[in-house]
Amino acid sequence: MARPLDHAKRAELLAGVVDYIAAHGLAELSLRPLAAELGTSSRMLIYYFDTKEELLVQALATQRPDIRALFADIADATALRARLWDFWRANTTGAGATSVQVMLQVLGAACASDGPYAAYATDAIGTFVAALADGLRGFGVDDAEVVATLLVSGLRGILQDRVITGDVSRTDQAARRLIESTVR
């Protein structure tokens, strides 16, 4: 009989995965060095998560905010602009910035025709677009899904620019302009 999963240990492992990938990159991710950094073995990582890809997907899921709740109570364009700006700031500083850096690597890997993260990326983007579109519909935006797509994709592109260039001022200004000009 297999021993039961130690859920506390599993949560501890997940907490370290995103930081490790942010520091070392996704492209060359190997379980042995990751396991060593996390204080375990690659065998134990497989025991807890089955595959390297599943480990990463579950680690990212622990970092993902409840997007539906984030936009559920939006009453007007002013409130949505403020919420989007707060979301931008939360995802460009501290732990949010680390998660974004890893998420951008996963989205890039999901572009490959046989990418192991395609389902996760599709779900993450779809959830964000749907939640934002629901918020937009709440105050009468007719083409809410198109506007939500513009915002999600535009902000993601600006985030990628920021990660690559490190230009905080310009990317903050671009994000602010996108939000202000799109949400009316």
Side-chain angles (χ1 to χ4, degrees), residues 38-125:
L38 297 175
T40 191
S41 68
S42 56
R43 184 181 65 76
M44 288 308 294
L45 291 177
I46 295 299
Y47 172 73
Y48 279 109
F49 305 104
D50 294 327
T51 66
K52 165 174 77 171
E53 291 78 16
E54 186 60 23
L55 167 65
L56 180 57
V57 164
Q58 288 186 33
L60 284 170
T62 67
Q63 308 272 314
R64 193 187 208 177
D66 182 353
I67 296 293
R68 292 210 178 272
L70 186 65
F71 298 111
D73 64 343
I74 300 298
D76 58 30
T78 301
L80 180 56
R81 285 191 301 271
R83 186 73 50 86
L84 283 166
W85 182 248
D86 289 346
F87 185 74
W88 170 263
R89 298 300 301 150
N91 283 284
T92 55
T93 58
T98 301
S99 294
V100 163
Q101 185 179 8
V102 174
M103 174 58 82
L104 289 171
Q105 292 179 61
V106 169
L107 292 173
C111 292
S113 61
D114 60 344
Y117 307 109
Y120 177 80
T122 299
D123 179 61
I125 293 167

Side-chain angles (χ1 to χ4, degrees), residues 88-169:
W88 170 263
R89 298 300 301 150
N91 283 284
T92 55
T93 58
T98 301
S99 294
V100 163
Q101 185 179 8
V102 174
M103 174 58 82
L104 289 171
Q105 292 179 61
V106 169
L107 292 173
C111 292
S113 61
D114 60 344
Y117 307 109
Y120 177 80
T122 299
D123 179 61
I125 293 167
T127 298
F128 198 167
V129 169
L132 188 49
D134 287 346
L136 289 161
R137 277 188 211 96
F139 59 89
V141 174
D142 291 331
D143 56 348
E145 195 165 79
V146 171
V147 173
T149 299
L150 176 63
L151 283 163
V152 170
S153 297
L155 290 172
R156 185 175 55 248
I158 298 167
L159 279 167
Q160 184 175 24
D161 179 330
R162 184 182 190 125
V163 167
I164 293 168
T165 67
D167 192 329
V168 172
S169 178

